[in-house]
Amino acid sequence: VLTTLWQTTSKEMKDQYEQFRKDVLDAVKDDDCLYIYPYHALHCTVASLCKFTCDVGQGLALTKDLKVRDAYVEAWQKVVDQVYKDIEKKPIQVTFKRPELPGTTAIMMIDNPGKEVFRIRELLKAACANNEILRNYEVKCDVPETTHFPNIVHSSFARFTRPPKDMEAFRKTFTDVASKWEPRQETITEFYLTTETVPYMHMDKKSNVKKTYSLSPTTKD
């Protein structure tokens, strides 16, 4: 999975999110049914190169031969390395908008006025359509069955562990707390090739990141 991580945002962002998380949990403590991700698990998916729900992903997850799994990740890394050469090396400006609870997953939309995330996705899509690249690196890419490109820029940060006792009342309480969120402008300076060892990317930068790609203007390909 190609991601950006919240761990690289400012201390102010971390503090604001953790206060919001506490406020929500305090407000719904009488109906404890929402799991809100800890800060270190937060990310924005640029692309799921091999979904854990597809046949290939399931096979890699179940295999006892770790060399097979590592080889597949390394193959995708070579594809991303090729794409990275064409990515403009400049930090990405984003704004983390007000948290929402539209369904069974709480999300935060991320405004990316420069459209850099979408341009990275387009470069990846072009690589996935290049049969020579896929042949050379022996990766499987069937969009959207195996590989998925989101059409929005967002972070999922909470999921229900069970249905609320009163969904309408729960949503109102959540919305009341979320209304206090002040949009935060942040700068993204790198993105990562990561492995999804736990469903829905509960990840830690130290253990899940396979390669870091810098967006610094001084970066050499």
Side-chain angles (χ1 to χ4, degrees), residues 2 46 87 92 116-124 191:
L2 211 60
V46 178
I87 293 174
I92 299 175
E116 293 91 347
V117 173
F118 292 98
R119 283 202 289 274
I120 294 173
R121 287 173 179 163
E122 289 303 315
L123 290 169
L124 285 164
F191 62 96

Side-chain angles (χ1 to χ4, degrees), residues 2-3 29 34 44 49 57-58 87 100 105 111 115 118 130 133 136 142 150 159 169 173 176 182 187 190 200 204:
L2 211 60
T3 70
K29 62 184 177 182
L34 190 69
C44 170
L49 303 177
Q58 290 288 305
I87 293 174
E100 305 173 30
T105 302
D111 187 25
K115 306 296 183 185
F118 292 98
N130 187 324
I133 287 179
N136 288 344
D142 294 322
R159 296 178 187 273
T173 299
D176 288 346
E182 293 293 333
T187 301
E190 53 193 28
Y200 307 116
D204 179 86

Side-chain angles (χ1 to χ4, degrees), residues 105-158:
T105 302
I107 66 171
M108 191 176 294
M109 296 299 294
I110 302 173
D111 187 25
N112 174 213
K115 306 296 183 185
E116 293 91 347
V117 173
F118 292 98
R119 283 202 289 274
I120 294 173
R121 287 173 179 163
E122 289 303 315
L123 290 169
L124 285 164
K125 287 179 185 178
C128 289
N130 187 324
N131 290 329
E132 183 178 353
I133 287 179
L134 301 184
R135 250 193 331 267
N136 288 344
Y137 299 127
E138 298 182 349
V139 296
K140 184 176 177 62
C141 176
D142 294 322
V143 181
E145 286 78 11
T146 303
T147 302
H148 174 64
F149 298 98
N151 57 14
I152 58 175
V153 183
H154 75 294
S155 278
S156 299
F157 66 86

Side-chain angles (χ1 to χ4, degrees), residues 178-205:
S179 67
K180 301 172 185 176
W181 177 273
E182 293 293 333
R184 279 211 58 85
Q185 294 184 352
E186 294 286 338
T187 301
I188 304 300
T189 58
E190 53 193 28
F191 62 96
Y192 313 90
L193 180 66
T194 62
T195 54
E196 192 165 6
T197 55
V198 179
Y200 307 116
M201 291 296 291
H202 274 51
M203 59 180 298
D204 179 86
K205 183 178 178 182

Side-chain angles (χ1 to χ4, degrees), residues 6-10 13-14 17-18 37-42:
W6 285 31
Q7 294 169 59
T8 57
T9 57
S10 67
M13 178 67 185
K14 180 176 184 291
Y17 175 79
E18 290 185 338
Y37 300 3
Y39 184 78
H40 73 263
L42 297 169

Side-chain angles (χ1 to χ4, degrees), residues 12 14 29 37 60-62 67 80-81 88 106 109 123-124 156 158 162 164 174 202 208 213 220:
E12 290 77 13
K14 180 176 184 291
K29 62 184 177 182
Y37 300 3
L60 292 171
L62 294 173
K67 290 182 180 179
V80 177
D81 286 348
E88 185 177 3
M109 296 299 294
L123 290 169
L124 285 164
S156 299
R162 60 165 175 77
F174 178 93
H202 274 51
N208 296 71
Y213 295 89
K220 295 181 180 180

